[in-house]
C-alpha cells in the first residue's frame, strides 16, 4: 500500500562521508559517546536493516560498507532507489527547513520527481511571522495578511511553538494593546527568532482564524526534538485549554511526533474532535520497539485519528526507514491483535488503510 506522508522535509542529494551521514541520524548537534557513532542507536540499526538491501547489499551491512556502496552508485541513483522503495504516494512537506549538512534541500518539484509522489507544501508559521514588517500597532494586521497570502496553495500550516515558549497557550488571544506592546519590543530587536509568548499566542490564534477560513489543519510540534527543546514544555497535554477553546473553529490540530507523550496525545485525540495524533519521527527513532509504541498510541487513540508520517529530513534513508519501519511495526502489532482474536483480517486491513493514507486524505482533502 502506498503511504501518505503527512509531515516531512525535503531531501539532499549528495555523496556524504560517514560523519556527515551519521550526523543526520540524531536530533542532537552534540558529539556521541567516545568510540561510538549515531549508528549505535535504534535508528542506526533501523537504517542498516532497511537501506542496504535497496542498494544491493545485505541487511545489517556495516556503516562503512554501506557508505562506500552509496558513493559507488552516486547520490542521485542512491536517493532515487531509497525514495522509490519508501513507496510514498503523497508527501506534505514542511518548507521551514531549507538545508541539511551544508547542502540545500531539493525544491519541491524536484522532490516530487525523484520520490514519484505528489508533493504539497506545509507553511511554517514562525517563519512567516519573523518576516512581517510593520509598525507595532500594525503588526497584528500585517501578520494576518502575510498568513493569508502564505496559505494560498498550502495544504496545512505548522507551528514550532514548543521550541519557542512551550505549549501552555492561554485559552484566549492576547488583546491588541498587549500585542502592540510586545511587537514594539520585537521590532526594536534583531528579529532573528520570535520567542515572545504574547506574539506567539497572537500568531497561533491568527492561524486558527485564517485556517478556519481556508479549511486547513494546523500541525504542532510536540514531544522530543533537538537539544534546543525543553521537553516538559512540549507535552501536548499542555495544549488542553487551547484545544478546548479552538474547538468551535473546527480547525483540526495535528499533534506531531508526540513521543514520549504519545499516550497523552492519544487521550487528546480520543477526547476532542479537532485533535489528531501523528506517529512520524517516533517510529523511526524507536526502531525495533516501534510496534510497542504504536500499540500504546492505539490503546486510546481512535483509529480514524492516527496519522502516518516519516518526518524525514535531508537523508533519503530517513524516508525509507520511516516507511519500512512503520509498515513492519504496524504489521507486527496487528498480527498480534489477530492472533489474540481481537480483530478480523478485514478489521486489520481497514485500520492499516486508515492510518497509512485514508485519514490524511480526508483531513487534508487530498
Ligand atoms: Zn518536521
Amino acid at each position: 500500500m502506498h503511504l501518505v506522508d503527512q509531515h516531512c522535509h525535503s531531501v539532499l542529494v549528495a555523496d556524504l562521508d560517514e560523519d556527515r551521514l551519521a550526523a543526520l541520524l540524531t536530533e542532537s548537534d552534540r558529539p556521541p559517546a567516545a568510540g561510538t557513532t549515531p549508528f549505535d542507536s535504534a535508528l542506526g540499526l533501523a537504517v542498516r536493516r532497511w537501506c542496504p538491501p535497496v542498494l544491493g547489499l545485505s541487511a545489517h551491512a556495516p556503516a562503512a560498507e554501506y557508505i562506500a556502496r552509496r558513493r559507488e552508485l552516486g547520490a542521485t541513483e542512491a536517493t532515487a532507489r531509497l525514495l522509490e522503495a519508501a513507496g510514498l504516494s503523497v508527501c506534505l512537506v514542511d518548507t521551514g527547513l531549507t538545508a541539511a549538512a551544508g547542502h540545500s534541500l531539493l525544491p519541491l518539484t524536484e522532490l516530487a520527481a525523484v520520490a514519484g509522489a505528489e508533493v504539497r507544501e506545509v507553511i511554517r508559521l514562525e517563519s512567516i511571522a519573523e518576516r512581517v514588517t510593520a509598525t507595532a500597532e500594525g503588526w497584528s494586521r500585517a501578520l494576518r495578511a502575510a498568513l493569508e497570502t502564505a496559505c494560498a496553495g498550502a495544504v496545512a500550516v505548522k507551528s514550532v511553538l514548543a521550541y519557542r515558549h512551550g505549549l501552555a497557550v492561554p485559552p484566549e488571544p492576547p488583546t491588541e494593546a498587549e500585542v502592540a506592546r510586545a511587537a514594539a519590543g520585537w521590532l526594536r530587536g534583531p528579529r532573528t527568532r520570535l520567542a515572545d509568548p504574547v506574539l506567539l499566542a497572537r500568531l497561533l490564534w491568527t492561524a486558527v482564524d485564517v485556517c478556519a477560513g481556508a479549511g486547513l489543519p494546523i500541525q504542532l510540534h510536540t514531544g522530543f526534538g533537538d537539544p534546543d527543546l525543553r521537553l516538559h514544555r512540549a507535552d501536548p497535554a499542555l495544549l488542553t485549554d487551547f484545544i478546548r477553546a479552538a474547538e468551535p473553529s473546527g480547525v483540526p490540530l495535528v499533534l506531531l511526533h508526540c513521543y514520549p507523550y504519545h499516550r497523552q496525545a492519544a487521550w487528546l485525540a480520543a477526547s476532542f474532535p479537532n485533535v489528531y495524533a501523528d506517529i512520524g519521527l517516533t517510529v523511526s527513532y524507536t526502531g525495533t520497539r516501534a510496534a510497542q509504541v504504536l500499540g500504546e498510541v492505539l490503546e486510546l487513540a481512535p483509529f480514524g485519528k492516527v496519522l502516518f508520517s516519516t518526518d524525514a529530513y535531508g537523508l533519503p534513508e530517513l524516508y525509507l526507514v520511516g516507511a519500512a519501519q512503520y509498515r513492519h511495526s504496524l504489521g507486527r502489532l496487528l498480527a498480534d491483535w489477530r492472533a489474540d482474536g481481537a480483530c478480523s483480517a478485514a478489521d486489520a486491513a481497514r485500520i492499516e488503510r486508515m492510518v497509512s493514507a485514508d485519514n490524511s486524505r480526508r483531513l487534508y482533502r487530498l
Side-chain angles (χ1 to χ4, degrees):
M1 184 191 313
H2 274 62
L3 306 172
V4 174
D5 187 349
Q6 69 105 32
H7 178 87
C8 58
H9 304 270
S10 192
V11 75
L12 63 84
V13 180
D15 291 318
L16 300 169
D17 60 26
E18 186 169 342
D19 285 352
R20 289 201 144 175
L21 195 146
L24 289 164
L25 298 182
T26 164
E27 285 284 312
S28 181
D29 53 359
R30 314 300 207 266
T36 74
T37 81
F39 275 102
D40 297 309
S41 66
L43 174 59
L45 284 182
V47 168
R48 289 183 41 237
R49 174 184 197 170
W50 300 112
C51 300
V54 173
L55 303 194
L57 300 175
S58 44
H60 313 301
E65 200 178 301
Y66 176 75
I67 284 152
R69 174 63 179 154
R70 197 183 192 275
R71 281 177 168 273
E72 180 182 77
L73 284 170
T76 306
E77 173 67 16
T79 301
R81 287 194 191 190
L82 292 162
L83 290 186
E84 194 197 334
L88 304 170
S89 59
V90 185
C91 297
L92 309 189
V93 181
D94 170 1
T95 49
L97 300 171
T98 55
H103 297 271
S104 38
L105 303 180
L106 284 188
L108 299 193
T109 46
E110 289 176 40
L111 175 66
V114 67
E118 179 187 349
V119 169
R120 306 288 300 275
E121 185 172 14
V122 175
I123 301 291
R124 182 78 71 97
L125 289 175
E126 290 76 11
S127 310
I128 305 294
E130 283 159 358
R131 288 198 295 266
V132 167
T133 47
T135 61
E137 290 70 31
W139 193 83
S140 259
R141 214 171 334 110
L143 172 70
R144 189 186 179 95
L147 273 191
E148 282 169 350
T149 306
C151 283
V155 75
V157 302
K158 183 210 172 175
S159 165
V160 291
L161 180 73
Y163 276 97
R164 302 303 179 84
H165 186 71
L167 295 174
V169 186
E172 66 279 319
T175 65
E176 278 309 304
E178 287 168 335
V179 173
R181 210 161 34 239
W186 160 251
L187 293 167
R188 264 198 313 273
R191 280 189 251 172
T192 47
R193 194 171 184 273
L194 186 68
D196 181 279
V198 172
L199 299 184
L200 289 168
R202 179 65 273 171
L203 173 60
L204 193 58
W205 279 107
T206 303
V208 168
D209 279 357
V210 171
C211 288
L216 304 183
I218 300 176
Q219 301 182 343
L220 296 119
H221 177 105
T222 73
F224 79 121
D226 65 50
D228 205 19
L229 196 67
R230 286 177 182 82
L231 186 58
H232 67 290
R233 294 195 193 171
D235 180 341
L238 293 171
L239 285 166
T240 307
D241 290 344
F242 169 75
I243 288 168
R244 204 178 274 123
E247 190 180 341
S249 72
V251 173
L253 304 172
V254 178
L255 310 176
L256 297 175
H257 325 315
C258 305
Y259 184 88
Y261 307 113
H262 48 288
R263 282 174 153 155
Q264 281 89 325
W267 172 75
L268 290 165
S271 303
F272 297 101
N274 50 336
V275 176
Y276 291 76
D278 163 78
I279 48 96
L281 198 65
T282 294
V283 162
S284 308
Y285 270 79
T286 56
T288 191
R289 289 277 301 161
Q292 285 82 1
V293 174
L294 282 173
E296 289 169 0
V297 173
L298 294 172
E299 285 165 359
L300 276 194
F303 309 141
K305 292 294 203 71
V306 179
L307 306 171
F308 162 76
S309 81
T310 62
D311 195 33
Y313 160 56
L315 269 192
E317 281 80 358
L318 296 176
Y319 282 84
L320 175 57
V321 168
Q325 190 68 56
Y326 161 75
R327 284 191 175 97
H328 177 77
S329 303
L330 186 65
R332 265 181 76 189
L333 177 69
L334 293 173
D336 240 36
W337 288 12
R338 285 190 58 202
D340 184 44
C343 69
S344 69
D347 292 327
R350 181 172 142 78
I351 293 165
E352 190 187 348
R353 251 192 340 267
M354 284 196 271
V355 178
S356 300
D358 289 0
N359 292 341
S360 284
R361 286 191 181 282
R362 187 178 73 245
L363 180 62
Y364 297 100
R365 305 176 194 184
L366 300 171

